Amino acid sequence: MIPIPRMPGLLEGPTTQVGKPVSRVDGRLKVTGAARYAGEHAIPGLLHGYVVSSAIAKGRVTRIDTGKAMAVPGVVHILTHENRPDLAWLDRKWKDQDAPKGSPLRPLYDANVSHSLQPVALVVAESFEAARLAARLVEVAYEAEPHQTSLLMNRDITFTPGKDKGGFEPPPAPRGDADAALAAAEVSVDLEFTQAAEYHNPIEMHASTVEYHPDGSLTIHDKTQGVLNCQSWVCGVFNLPKSSVRVLSPFVGGAFGSGLRPQHQLFLAVLAALALKRSVRVELSRPQMFSFGHRPETWQRVALGASRDGTLTALVHEAVQESSQAENYVEIVVNWSGQQYRCDNVRLDYRLSRLDVHTPLDQRAPGAATGVPALEVAMDELAWKLGMDPIQLRLKNYAEADPNTGKPFSSKELRACFRQGAERFGWPDHLPPPRSMRDGRELVGWGMAAGVWDAMQNPASAKATLGANGKLSIATASSDIGTGTYTVLAQVAAEVLGLETADVAVEIGDSSLPQAPIQGGSWTVSSVGSAVKAACDQLAKRLHALARDAEGSPLAGVGSVRFADGHVVAQDDPSRRMPIQQVMRAAGLPVLEEKALSVPYALGRLRHTLGTHSAVFVEVRVDAELGTVRVTRVVSAIAAGRIINPKTAGSQILGAVVWGVGMALEEEAMTDHTLGRVMNHDLAEYHVPVSADIPDIDVVFVEEHDEVVNALGAKGVGEIGIVGVPAAISNAIFHATGVRVRDLPITVDKIRAGLAALP
Amino acid sequence: MRPFSYARPDSLDGALAELAGNQGAPDASAAPVRPVAGGTNLLDLMKADVMRPTRLVDITRLALRGITETGDGGLRLGALSTNAETAWDERVRARYPLLHKAILAGASAQLRNMATNGGNILQRTRCYYFYDTATPCNKRAPGSGCGALTGVNRIHAILGASEHCIATHPSDMAVALAALDATVRVAGPGGERAIPFADFHRLPGDTPHRETTLRPEEVVTAIDLPADNLARHSTYLKARDRASYAFALVSAAVALELEDGVVRGARLALGGVAHKPWRDRDAEALLVGKAPGRAAFAAVADAVLRDAKGHGHNTFKIGLARSVIVRAFEEAAGLEPS
Ligand SMILES: Cc1cc2nc3c(=O)[nH]c(=O)nc-3n(C[C@H](O)[C@H](O)[C@H](O)COP(=O)(O)OP(=O)(O)OC[C@H]3O[C@@H](n4cnc5c(N)ncnc54)[C@H](O)[C@@H]3O)c2cc1C
Ligand code: SF4
């Protein structure tokens, strides 16, 4: 193969700003309450909308009586499918950037009800309280039709989706003959896994405040992971020009994927604002946070065959996930199994089953957090069957190149993750047998698992503006969903121009700023960080030229410069230097502005597989008699390229480990299939981990050098942190107790059933 | 939330005058005029449109706060003392450590700072259907059916339930009070009366909307704890789905009176298993005269759970309750793990 040219503009070390554990630049605003979230903007004359949600899972609204509700003092209007204004009717107009194939939900479009809690009316009133009360008084009559909401009852009624969503790849074609190899394998495991649906439940509930201006234009404060996505969607649905719609979302109180698609509160707030020519806010209640998007319920089968020395000879991974009737939500569940380990006989199969539910939605490490844990539990079970250390089994079948494609990895320090993670954890050379470690009334167990996620990049733009005071501003339409984007963008910019991070102001979350992709997939540092770097590189180039040409410049004729301490400095002679501010003054320029578009390094990406990797080690303690579990130690070793900010990146991993604990042990949407409704729809009964559930978490970032992923060499860490955790916990529970639970979450009832069934 | 009027009387008489109009309501919890104390349960249920009082009587100015001696060696817990004050009171800690532990096993520090003793024992079930007005629930809407019976019932009752309702009482504190043979003191238009704790909460039967024997026109003024010798060998054990901030799947308040290695008296109240804190005095009596030990404790558990019945998701609670009972007694007796 012809060697590919080196990526232009690679950030070289040593760095001064990049790599520093800088505290969040927006931290003070957030903890003092000065940061305003979407539902917190006070606007004179603001009206408040409250959603009426469907009581049935499927059927038709036959009558809506708004008489009592309209009589509530302060109620201005009640929007239903019967009185709504005209709306776009082409499906295309209702599509957003994250929409899968199919027909997106059109709230209040017609009388049809396709899922429980679907919005059927919006009450608009002068106060939130009046709107909420009136919403209770809207009388809705339904004609219910039979519904299906159970995946396990519909697991045989499936279809194979195509490339039905951006970023989705159907499984690769089979390699070899996996089923025959499985039947012939010296040692094998053949296992079924189920996993409950999970809801994102960010602490900030979805809200939109729509400011209606006298000229009919709108300023929208929305909880979203993509202001441009919402802007173009609103323009499409309501047939408005882009110039009339500005979407702002500078602060987001968590999202985890729930804000990737415009949600119905945005639609309803805009609908009401346009209909009434008034400013309107719609905020969902916590139960209504269960009315859209969720990590789909999943059934899986993983079968592995191996020879006695641990060489994998067969790998089958099948998955069935739920989607809605109208859209094909897909995520990559099984492909990882073909990528993680070397194996000649592989069959991967992914199907959907349609249920009468709202369309699922990407949730932190969508697909990987579902499929990889099943694979990693199966690897553990195989290791025990082989009598092999689980790390050794993984090393034995380590994939040096991507077995799915044959391409090399741009970088893959998974080996180092195993080594460093095991060392930090104190993983023994020989794991004691299951159920052999006891401390008082508790059984102690250790488990480990590997994780993998993509290292994606999307085109993005940024603007960098240098002021006469030497301060730099960065602007891009990206968002910061709590990940630390403000901070890392400032660090990248400061690095390029030799400034302090504190000298850089970052402006994001505004659709009038330069284009950036929705914030998801762990691609923001890669995409937007690269755009910021590109814009600052351009500024640097101009400063270099201006400095060289300035009258009496110490840098006259200098061909190569670097930037440090606010100066332009000759590369080979640090004594030849000029302050940036002086360069601008000399050129008579009060401001210097550059805008850049950065695109993925196509050639390099074409020739490589790019991903982040992890190894997670967990200790659990299980009460031998009660069956209750405590996670007592977690070590997570992560290989994700260059870490721009170990503090914010570390927080991403900490949070993701907490998510993994929730997925393994607690999170579960409990559906009443007679009603077709999730019943535990509040945070008292939909359990996520509390502080008392979380032990000290040790995060290790493994050194990894990557010259393909992007000019920063950074891969993004928002999602990799969760992927290995559920399996490591599950494996540790087995080690502690001898009980395998392959149905997440692993709650006390399931452990007790396993304990009771032990010989 | 439905519109309501609000009163804040300064005296018990003033409050009782406000509540007088409730006479004839089927149950205190459904009466149109409701006292509000910490508000942590009542306001949530009003926002969810489950409780719809037309008038709230803020009782926080009443002189019902404070923890005092009863004169015969017991303690009187004011109805308006907060759960936190009660749990951390030195006398409660020394004489009723079981109550201290039970209160702290519930809710969160923030909630316990607001929640009052009267409100705690009157808090209502956490049944999912009770909270969701779009679903059937005999307790919320008598005659509409019981959604949980054939639906999602992981957190529901295994003892004393009926085909009309399988809800549980969610309080931790109340379980300890049941074990301690507390008395609920109430005041009404006719004066004061005392209700033994065992008689305070009802079983659902065919009227699950009737939850307590408190009359709609009455106010809880205090909870009395009798003197006892249970402090040394008592504990509260709560099994739940996460380490904190979750209601009990099963909890047990146990206490033993031991003399020369023999049980002289035993108490066991269970939480999370029934419409009220569950006591079974016949089962407790099985321990008397016996040496504390696993087999004896298991026999009590078997007796208590003899008629236990699961409804699907919650069937595991029967076995869990057995383990919790045995463990709680072992801990109370100071027995080490075998
Ligand atoms: C998220 C969450 C988790 C929780 N977890 C737990 C838990 O794990 N364990 C637990 O035990 N509890 C738990 N709780 C419940 C909490 O303990 C109760 O909400 C609290 O004790 C109620 O007390 P209050 O004073 O706020 O009552 P209020 O809400 O003021 O009143 C509750 C009821 O009692 C009536 N009332 C109050 N005082 C009197 C009186 N003196 N006389 C007559 N009627 C009166 C009211 O009219 C109302 O009907 C939790 C609550 C929440 C919100
Ligand atoms: S268990 Fe009781 S509270 Fe729950 S739905 Fe049935 S009747 Fe209502």
Side-chain angles (χ1 to χ4, degrees):
Chain A
M1 212 187 285
I2 312 159
I4 51 174
R6 209 173 133 80
M7 176 169 10
L10 260 184
L11 178 65
E12 307 282 357
T15 55
T16 57
Q17 301 301 318
V18 161
K20 258 206 217 167
V22 179
S23 294
R24 273 160 206 270
V25 297
D26 50 335
R28 175 177 289 269
L29 290 177
K30 284 187 171 165
V31 299
T32 56
R36 289 256 174 273
Y37 293 84
E40 297 183 332
H41 294 270
I43 290 159
L46 184 68
L47 294 174
H48 301 259
Y50 199 91
V51 180
V52 180
S53 309
S54 167
I56 62 163
K58 187 178 184 178
R60 291 175 57 77
V61 173
T62 52
R63 194 178 51 85
I64 300 189
D65 186 343
T66 58
K68 283 188 194 139
M70 281 306 294
V72 171
V75 171
V76 174
H77 192 46
I78 298 175
L79 283 155
T80 70
H81 69 278
E82 288 167 350
N83 67 1
R84 64 157 174 85
D86 274 352
L87 292 165
W89 60 274
L90 282 177
D91 265 344
R92 184 168 51 80
K93 297 275 191 184
W94 293 81
K95 292 257 182 196
D96 68 275
Q97 288 174 24
D98 194 38
K101 181 179 171 184
S103 304
L105 175 73
R106 304 175 180 194
L108 311 192
Y109 198 78
D110 53 29
N112 289 326
V113 173
S114 63
H115 60 263
S116 192
L117 293 179
Q118 176 181 320
V120 295
L122 182 79
V123 177
V124 187
E126 299 287 351
S127 74
F128 171 77
E129 289 73 16
R132 183 175 59 183
L133 168 63
R136 305 282 189 204
L137 300 177
V138 173
E139 288 168 11
V140 186
Y142 302 92
E143 193 178 288
E145 289 167 30
H147 58 258
Q148 294 292 331
T149 50
S150 164
L151 178 71
L152 297 185
M153 283 177 63
N154 289 276
R155 140 158 116 64
D156 297 325
I157 311 169
T158 61
F159 67 99
T160 301
K163 211 173 160 358
D164 288 350
K165 185 170 176 294
F168 177 74
E169 280 299 330
R175 303 200 280 277
D177 185 341
D179 298 284
L182 183 67
E186 290 175 359
V187 183
S188 65
V189 294
D190 194 339
L191 311 164
E192 281 190 32
F193 298 86
T194 47
Q195 178 175 318
E198 295 183 321
Y199 281 78
H200 302 72
N201 274 311
I203 280 301
E204 179 202 15
M205 286 167 288
H206 276 246
S208 305
T209 305
V210 177
E211 264 182 85
Y212 184 89
H213 302 296
D215 64 353
S217 67
L218 307 176
T219 304
I220 302 174
H221 306 271
D222 188 37
K223 179 199 177 79
T224 174
Q225 294 171 247
V227 283
L228 292 169
N229 189 25
C230 289
Q231 182 198 34
S232 54
W233 186 78
V234 165
C235 291
V237 169
F238 294 97
N239 195 23
L240 296 169
K242 288 224 159 136
S243 56
S244 303
V245 178
R246 182 175 175 201
V247 181
L248 301 170
S249 184
F251 300 105
V252 180
F256 314 109
S258 69
L260 286 173
R261 299 187 70 180
Q263 297 302 352
H264 59 252
Q265 92 285 345
L266 171 64
F267 168 82
L268 294 169
V270 174
L271 184 75
L274 293 175
L276 299 168
K277 302 195 182 338
R278 300 263 310 259
S279 297
V280 178
R281 170 188 304 154
V282 177
E283 183 167 6
L284 299 185
S285 68
R286 183 58 68 183
Q288 287 168 345
M289 290 297 289
F290 291 76
S291 68
F292 64 91
H294 59 284
R295 194 193 290 283
E297 187 178 357
T298 308
W299 171 90
Q300 297 179 80
R301 172 183 173 225
V302 180
L304 302 175
S307 52
R308 294 224 174 273
D309 69 352
T311 307
L312 280 179
T313 55
L315 192 161
V316 176
H317 192 166
E318 302 167 352
V320 179
Q321 290 196 299
E322 52 167 337
S323 191
S324 60
Q325 297 293 351
E327 287 179 304
N328 298 358
Y329 173 79
V330 285
E331 55 187 34
I332 296 177
V333 176
V334 297
N335 306 13
W336 311 102
S337 291
Q339 177 180 321
Q340 274 293 71
Y341 300 109
R342 223 176 35 233
C343 181
D344 292 334
N345 301 291
V346 177
R347 184 171 61 76
L348 306 173
D349 186 54
Y350 176 72
R351 290 160 199 264
L352 293 182
S353 180
R354 291 201 190 284
L355 298 179
D356 298 304
V357 298
H358 48 254
T359 305
L361 178 56
D362 312 77
Q363 187 178 110
R364 208 165 193 176
T370 298
V372 176
L375 171 69
E376 290 294 305
V377 168
M379 286 295 279
D380 196 67
E381 300 207 27
L382 182 65
W384 283 111
K385 229 171 164 177
L386 287 162
M388 211 169 159
D389 175 83
I391 303 179
Q392 290 313 318
L393 177 64
R394 285 167 174 83
L395 290 174
K396 176 96 193 164
N397 297 286
Y398 195 85
E400 298 292 351
D402 177 358
N404 277 350
T405 60
K407 293 176 188 174
F409 291 98
S410 64
S411 59
K412 179 181 173 181
E413 294 295 344
L414 178 56
R415 269 206 184 87
C417 293
F418 287 138
R419 194 173 349 102
Q420 293 182 31
E423 197 179 298
R424 285 283 261 274
F425 186 82
W427 189 261
D429 291 335
H430 299 286
L431 207 53
R435 217 183 152 78
S436 64
M437 303 198 294
R438 193 182 250 274
D439 183 4
R441 298 185 187 276
E442 289 180 318
L443 299 166
V444 183
W446 294 328
M448 60 83 53
V452 56
W453 182 248
D454 280 332
M456 296 180 269
Q457 187 182 359
N458 281 301
S461 308
K463 191 172 70 182
T465 311
L466 199 51
N469 57 0
K471 307 271 183 205
L472 181 68
S473 333
I474 298 296
T476 165
S478 181
S479 61
D480 185 335
I481 52 175
T483 45
T485 308
Y486 278 107
T487 314
V488 295
L489 296 185
Q491 283 176 271
V492 167
E495 181 69 46
V496 175
L497 291 172
L499 303 172
E500 287 298 320
T501 300
D503 291 331
V504 184
V506 177
E507 203 189 340
I508 59 181
D510 180 343
S511 61
S512 68
L513 300 177
Q515 174 275 334
I518 45 179
Q519 184 166 36
S522 300
W523 61 53
T524 300
V525 164
S526 186
S527 313
V528 185
S530 296
V532 168
K533 178 171 184 303
C536 293
D537 279 342
Q538 283 173 214
L539 268 187
K541 222 183 236 163
R542 279 189 66 193
L543 284 167
H544 177 197
L546 293 172
R548 211 174 32 204
D549 299 347
E551 231 184 85
S553 166
L555 292 165
V558 170
S560 175
V561 294
R562 60 193 176 83
F563 290 77
D565 311 323
H567 287 68
V568 189
V569 186
Q571 193 65 263
D572 335 307
D573 181 359
S575 71
R576 297 176 70 182
R577 55 203 279 133
M578 198 171 164
I580 288 177
Q581 278 170 273
Q582 197 187 323
V583 175
M584 291 175 65
R585 229 178 293 126
L589 290 170
V591 287
L592 211 52
E593 185 173 296
E594 284 291 331
K595 196 177 147 185
L597 165 72
S598 95
V599 293
Y601 174 39
L603 200 51
R605 284 186 169 260
L606 210 62
R607 298 258 184 101
H608 294 88
T609 292
L610 296 91
T612 50
H613 296 88
S614 71
V616 184
F617 298 81
V618 166
E619 178 185 272
V620 300
R621 284 164 184 258
V622 183
D623 189 300
E625 212 174 348
L626 301 181
T628 45
V629 184
R630 296 192 293 142
V631 175
T632 46
R633 261 182 334 125
V634 178
V635 174
S636 176
I638 304 283
R642 178 184 265 129
I643 299 303
I644 306 287
N645 181 335
K647 191 168 185 178
T648 52
S651 295
Q652 284 300 297
I653 304 303
L654 293 181
V657 169
V658 175
W659 268 63
V661 172
M663 180 184 252
L665 302 178
E666 298 178 14
E667 290 199 50
E668 174 176 20
M670 299 181 192
T671 300
D672 179 320
H673 295 300
T674 310
L675 300 174
R677 192 172 179 91
V678 173
M679 290 312 303
N680 56 334
H681 46 43
D682 63 43
L683 290 183
E685 297 301 335
Y686 180 92
H687 291 153
V688 299
V690 293
S691 300
D693 293 319
I694 301 302
D696 277 346
I697 300 168
D698 192 359
V699 179
V700 184
F701 286 113
V702 162
E703 182 93 25
E704 186 174 71
H705 186 74
D706 196 305
E707 298 197 350
V708 178
V709 65
N710 53 51
L712 299 168
K715 290 177 175 174
V717 294
E719 285 156 299
I720 181 64
I722 180 177
V723 180
V725 179
I729 292 175
S730 177
N731 295 340
I733 290 173
F734 170 75
H735 184 230
T737 60
V739 171
R740 279 286 175 194
V741 179
R742 301 183 196 90
D743 177 23
L744 297 187
I746 306 173
T747 44
V748 62
D749 45 325
K750 298 173 192 170
I751 293 183
R752 288 183 61 85
L755 289 171
L758 282 179
Chain B
M1 202 184 262
R2 313 261 162 166
F4 58 88
S5 59
Y6 174 83
R8 191 165 59 185
D10 292 320
S11 68
L12 182 59
D13 284 346
L16 292 176
E18 289 285 351
L19 293 174
N22 279 339
Q23 282 191 34
D27 188 66
S29 61
V33 186
R34 295 304 311 135
V36 58
T40 60
N41 191 229
L42 179 56
L43 293 186
D44 274 6
L45 286 166
M46 287 170 68
K47 288 181 196 166
D49 205 31
V50 174
M51 289 180 77
R52 302 169 180 181
T54 53
R55 188 163 175 80
L56 286 191
V57 182
D58 182 339
I59 56 173
T60 54
R61 291 200 173 168
L62 272 48
L64 301 176
R65 194 160 180 164
I67 296 173
T68 53
E69 299 287 342
T70 54
D72 51 7
L75 278 185
R76 173 162 300 172
L77 314 175
L80 287 175
S81 289
T82 66
N83 285 178
E85 284 163 4
T86 307
W88 294 107
D89 182 273
E90 283 308 327
R91 291 158 297 176
V92 169
R93 291 185 74 179
R95 282 145 63 178
Y96 306 99
L98 168 57
L99 180 61
H100 163 82
K101 246 186 133 175
I103 295 175
L104 295 184
S108 64
Q110 293 87 337
L111 281 158
R112 293 191 298 266
N113 284 338
M114 284 303 287
T116 65
N117 294 335
N120 188 306
I121 62 173
L122 284 160
Q123 66 174 295
R124 308 194 66 192
T125 186
R126 309 302 292 203
C127 170
Y128 323 107
Y129 299 82
F130 178 66
Y131 267 81
D132 185 338
T133 55
T135 66
C137 170
N138 286 327
K139 183 186 280 297
R140 173 174 36 76
S144 62
C146 171
L149 194 59
T150 53
V152 182
N153 53 37
R154 177 179 168 76
I155 56 176
H156 288 74
I158 52 171
L159 286 167
S162 73
E163 58 181 337
H164 303 282
C165 179
I166 56 172
T168 59
H169 194 269
S171 168
D172 291 295
M173 180 183 191
V175 181
L177 295 174
L180 294 169
D181 277 342
T183 306
V184 183
R185 301 187 66 84
V186 307
E192 283 211 56
R193 64 184 185 116
I195 308 173
F197 206 79
D199 300 335
F200 187 72
H201 298 97
R202 297 171 186 268
L203 288 179
D206 55 4
T207 54
H209 59 289
R210 303 192 64 194
E211 299 183 332
T212 63
T213 52
L214 181 74
R215 293 184 196 124
E217 61 278 13
E218 289 176 329
V219 167
V220 173
T221 55
I223 298 165
D224 282 359
L225 296 171
D228 63 36
N229 308 318
L230 300 169
R232 267 193 56 165
H233 295 292
S234 65
T235 196
Y236 185 75
L237 182 67
K238 179 174 178 179
R240 48 183 147 181
D241 277 325
R242 59 184 171 192
S244 159
Y245 207 43
F247 290 92
L249 290 167
V250 173
S251 68
V254 301
L256 292 168
E257 245 177 288
L258 294 178
E259 217 180 275
D260 304 329
V262 174
V263 177
R264 292 287 164 225
R267 304 277 179 85
L268 165 65
L270 293 178
V273 298
H275 205 250
K276 60 189 285 186
W278 192 260
R279 281 284 300 267
D280 182 337
R281 287 167 205 268
D282 294 340
E284 291 168 5
L286 294 176
L287 273 180
V288 176
K290 300 240 169 65
R294 235 184 132 72
F297 298 148
V300 177
D302 288 340
V304 175
L305 297 166
R306 198 180 37 232
D307 297 325
K309 182 167 177 289
H311 303 277
H313 300 123
N314 72 342
T315 306
F316 76 97
K317 279 189 177 185
I318 301 173
L320 180 60
R322 194 174 190 281
S323 303
V324 166
I325 293 169
V326 172
R327 170 69 58 80
F329 272 128
E330 280 184 340
E331 282 182 8
L335 299 183
E336 291 303 312
S338 43

